[in-house]
Amino acid sequence: MTAHVRDGLRQEVLDANLAIPQVGLATLTWGNVSGVDREAGVFVIKPSGVPYEDLVLDHLVTVRLSDGAVVDGDLRPSTDTETHRCLYRAFPSIGGVTHTHSTHAVAFAQARRDIPVLGTTHADTFNGPIPCTPDLTADQCVKDYEYNTGRVIVDMLDGDDQKAVEVPAALVAHHGPFTWGTTARKSLEHAIICEAVADIALHTMALSPTAPPPPHLLNRHYTRKHGPDAYYGNPTPAPAL
Amino acid sequence: MTAHVRDGLRQEVLDANLAIPQVGLATLTWGNVSGVDREAGVFVIKPSGVPYEDLVLDHLVTVRLSDGAVVDGDLRPSTDTETHRCLYRAFPSIGGVTHTHSTHAVAFAQARRDIPVLGTTHADTFNGPIPCTPDLTADQCVKDYEYNTGRVIVDMLDGDDQKAVEVPAALVAHHGPFTWGTTARKSLEHAIICEAVADIALHTMALSPTAPPPPHLLNRHYTRKHGPDAYYGNPTPAPAL
Amino acid sequence: MTAHVRDGLRQEVLDANLAIPQVGLATLTWGNVSGVDREAGVFVIKPSGVPYEDLVLDHLVTVRLSDGAVVDGDLRPSTDTETHRCLYRAFPSIGGVTHTHSTHAVAFAQARRDIPVLGTTHADTFNGPIPCTPDLTADQCVKDYEYNTGRVIVDMLDGDDQKAVEVPAALVAHHGPFTWGTTARKSLEHAIICEAVADIALHTMALSPTAPPPPHLLNRHYTRKHGPDAYYGNPTPAPAL
Amino acid sequence: MTAHVRDGLRQEVLDANLAIPQVGLATLTWGNVSGVDREAGVFVIKPSGVPYEDLVLDHLVTVRLSDGAVVDGDLRPSTDTETHRCLYRAFPSIGGVTHTHSTHAVAFAQARRDIPVLGTTHADTFNGPIPCTPDLTADQCVKDYEYNTGRVIVDMLDGDDQKAVEVPAALVAHHGPFTWGTTARKSLEHAIICEAVADIALHTMALSPTAPPPPHLLNRHYTRKHGPDAYYGNPTPAPAL
């Protein structure tokens, strides 16, 4: 059985998954990216435990948003599939989700600390700290564990889509980062930036900062890249020349 | 004289050794991987001090499990050969052994501290801390030093094969990590993960964690990848398409 | 409309920008280099938000020094363009400017600390600490934010061109490093060195140094590479052979 | 004028210099390796300030041991040439010298601390701590600065060739590491290992070790690789097969 998804989605999801090791965020088979087709009511995700060097388009798995059923693909989807599904269902503006075990972001998650806003590198993308969830309860770990992993994120954000838009990343306690965006590619970019700001934050905290950044500076940086007055970038990423 | 070993073992051992520098765990000629053929009563291991860029199949050395005699190969085997042999003899479920001097795992060994379980990245592979042995005594260093290096690991695990299965890694005090698995490749993967979790643990400890991970979370992650209820991965790593 | 700039400037600016990811100082599209043509009264800079892998000569934007008007190019220039322009106008000896978000230099900026002179690696290039600006005020963030970012650097150096020559780098508080030099290439080299000395300084400070370097040592290193008695390097970087 | 040196020396020196950036120990043009021909009374060294990507055999400079005169080559030799010459003259067993500004070794030098022996990774190569010199005096910095840089190393080792053999590395205070060996290649390997053990030592010290390694363990590791009872490696690095 083949489920039809919009043109280009499968290739975009494949490319974003293959980029994880290229940008240095993967150890072995760790990490996964998915992308959603809201109209078709499905999302496309990496299969479980397939080495990146072997991964091809036909390995991708299509999963139904409503109940998590596999509707296309011969392989088992990522074990984290239900976490992705939970996030898609809670936040309508999300088009892609990425999960990694990147070193510095996981360190914050393991310490159960938010990644604080310490400068413009963070504020350019995230309009506030990247929050860390509380621990899952024993009950949440026994049944529907992966779906519940999404639920603790959703609960932390009060199920508020706007919060998910303004800070498109969260740390699951003692686990690691989940990031999202309007597309699979965007969710991957947020994973890259989440790791970069965690790395810089660790060094900053070692230097014992004496002054938090002024809110007007952070706000300026967030708004120059996001919202109606944004002036960063170019209409198309790179014009054909 | 040529000792016959099962098909594919020599290539697997060569590939696993060549992967050490590719995954960034080697400085110069440091590190070695071996794989065992239980039926033939021998294991195949990297020769001592040969640069990875020169290493070819014919350099590999075959060693007898019962007495450590070289039964095939023109070169001297790794100086760590007797440590490998000791581990194979103590733990029947081991099919491959890897030794590296990877930076963060060695730091824990030099500090004579276990690598603690701080999150799911660790619990996905290791069902408990990666333990660090006590120092070898002066006597243990004088005679059969390398075999005794294996013995302190075996003693620490009470010679219990099940313990070796659940936590397939150990740190030798002031020395470094030894890891093992059902195959040479698996033992290498455990070396990669051992280094990754040591790196993340160091950062986590710098952030002063206030809460250890809940046991139910760790257990969930270990059991979803290991044992009768495991549901991670796919039957074959990647189907031919 | 095409503005004429001196031969080779555009290629030099392109090469310096393309070198940013090659030397590991870029995440995604972050970072930018420009080079000036004083005679033509313009500078050439990277466009905003174009991925490095897509960047070609025709993407570069030429900006007028006197008023910041774009005089050549179809794309929007880097959002940091006005900061570059401010530095060119204040310091006549500057021929190129580089901005990055390199990890360790940003950590110092986020901690609002100068990068101290801890050894000859620093003194070879910078004749004093790399200073960190105070925070921009709310007013400075509202209007002409990017130009004001340059202004806080200029003010910190008392608008003194000689100071800009002796320490060709500055950190903007809670933001990151700006470096400059006689050419675009030189400004990039200073960005590389700024990041390297920040990295080493962080490790040095972790070791709790008990003795600052003696001034006569630092002076010797700075003067052997700079000024009338310099004897480092060769007349031409590498003779044609 | 052409000075004859023994066959292969120039190629060996070129290869060792080109390896510096390949093994990640170089920033820009930093670092240099030389190799000596005792019979001819000269050594061959990298020219000053030539980018590694441009460096070819004809750039190398031959310098006379007795007085430092350039006897072959069109370029100015490395500014550190006199330091190399001082070491060759003091220690007859040295065949090659390497100088780098590698991150972690420089951090120890800047903190003016020895790199302590914390485990077998260190003891495999260095039979004791890698010592850090005192600061050069103002007088030592004014006249013959580079030769005096070698002299503080020689004085620290009491001009004792045997000490130079047992610990083939030293840190110059607030500057960085100099390493040596029987050949140019060996001096480079010691630079690589010096950086690796400095990196691991920094992490170990962050973990607050409670127990120094036992001397019998360190001694065993040093002697299994060095001296009459060594049994590491193979007669030739890799046999032709």
Side-chain angles (χ1 to χ4, degrees), chain B residues 27-30 47-51 53-54 56 58-59 74-77 79-80 101-104 106-108 110-113 135-138 141-146 173-176 202 205, chain D residues 118-122 124-125 185 189-190 192-193 196-197 199-201 203-204 206-214 216-218 220-221 224-225 230-241:
Chain B
T27 300
L28 300 165
T29 64
W30 304 352
S48 182
V50 173
E53 60 268 31
D54 297 329
V56 296
D58 281 346
H59 289 153
D74 299 320
L75 296 177
R76 198 186 272 177
T79 48
D80 299 307
H101 283 237
S102 69
T103 303
H104 300 88
V106 170
F108 274 92
Q110 292 193 159
R112 252 184 45 192
R113 293 177 67 160
D135 282 318
L136 275 75
T137 64
C141 282
V142 170
K143 192 172 168 335
D144 301 331
Y145 165 63
E146 285 81 9
H174 297 114
H175 189 158
L202 267 158
M205 292 156 83
Chain D
L118 298 177
T120 66
T121 312
H122 186 119
D124 277 334
T125 302
R185 169 72 199 178
E189 288 183 11
H190 295 158
I192 295 169
I193 299 171
V197 297
D199 187 3
I200 301 174
H203 289 300
T204 306
L207 285 167
S208 311
T210 52
H216 52 261
L217 176 68
L218 304 176
R220 177 71 193 214
H221 269 261
R224 79 175 187 171
K225 280 192 137 177
Y231 55 97
Y232 180 89
N234 277 284
T236 52
L241 290 163

Side-chain angles (χ1 to χ4, degrees), chain A:
Chain A
M1 174 190 55
T2 298
H4 283 287
V5 295
R6 65 175 161 74
D7 279 0
L9 178 62
R10 291 172 62 83
Q11 189 64 47
E12 190 202 345
V13 169
L14 179 68
D15 291 346
N17 275 292
L18 293 178
I20 294 181
Q22 287 164 12
V23 297
L25 296 191
T27 300
L28 300 166
T29 64
W30 304 352
N32 42 74
V33 186
S34 69
V36 78
D37 181 337
R38 296 277 176 186
E39 207 157 307
V42 298
F43 62 103
V44 177
I45 192 165
K46 176 166 168 270
S48 182
V50 174
Y52 288 106
E53 60 268 31
D54 297 329
L55 190 66
V56 295
L57 213 48
D58 281 346
H59 289 151
L60 297 180
V61 185
T62 305
V63 175
R64 196 155 53 201
L65 272 176
S66 59
D67 61 0
V70 170
V71 295
D72 193 21
D74 299 321
L75 296 177
R76 198 185 273 177
S78 164
T79 49
D80 300 306
T81 297
E82 282 292 281
T83 311
H84 291 237
R85 191 168 73 89
C86 179
L87 294 172
Y88 284 125
R89 286 168 59 92
F91 303 125
S93 62
I94 293 184
V97 173
T98 294
H99 172 52
T100 79
H101 282 236
S102 69
T103 303
H104 300 88
V106 170
F108 274 91
Q110 291 193 160
R112 251 183 48 192
R113 293 178 68 160
D114 302 348
I115 305 175
V117 190
L118 298 177
T120 65
T121 312
H122 186 119
D124 277 334
T125 302
F126 303 110
N127 196 19
I130 297 174
C132 184
T133 70
D135 281 319
L136 275 76
T137 64
D139 279 356
Q140 286 175 319
C141 282
V142 170
K143 191 172 169 334
D144 301 330
Y145 164 64
E146 285 81 10
Y147 200 86
N148 290 333
T149 298
R151 200 181 292 272
V152 290
I153 296 174
V154 173
D155 288 350
M156 178 171 63
L157 305 187
D158 303 318
D160 182 343
D161 192 53
Q162 186 54 29
K163 287 190 183 174
V165 168
E166 297 209 357
V167 180
L171 306 177
V172 175
H174 297 113
H175 189 160
F178 284 83
T179 57
W180 48 82
T182 48
T183 63
R185 169 73 199 177
K186 275 288 169 194
S187 72
L188 172 71
E189 288 183 10
H190 295 158
I192 295 169
I193 299 171
C194 176
E195 174 61 11
V197 298
D199 187 1
I200 301 173
L202 267 158
H203 288 299
T204 306
M205 291 156 84
L207 285 167
S208 309
T210 53
H216 51 261
L217 175 70
L218 305 175
N219 184 54
R220 177 72 193 213
H221 268 262
Y222 186 73
T223 55
R224 78 176 188 172
K225 280 193 139 177
H226 307 270
D229 300 324
Y231 55 97
Y232 180 90
N234 277 284
T236 52
L241 290 163

Side-chain angles (χ1 to χ4, degrees), chain B residues 87-101:
Chain B
L87 295 171
Y88 284 125
R89 286 168 59 91
F91 302 125
S93 62
I94 294 183
V97 173
T98 295
H99 172 52
T100 78
H101 283 237

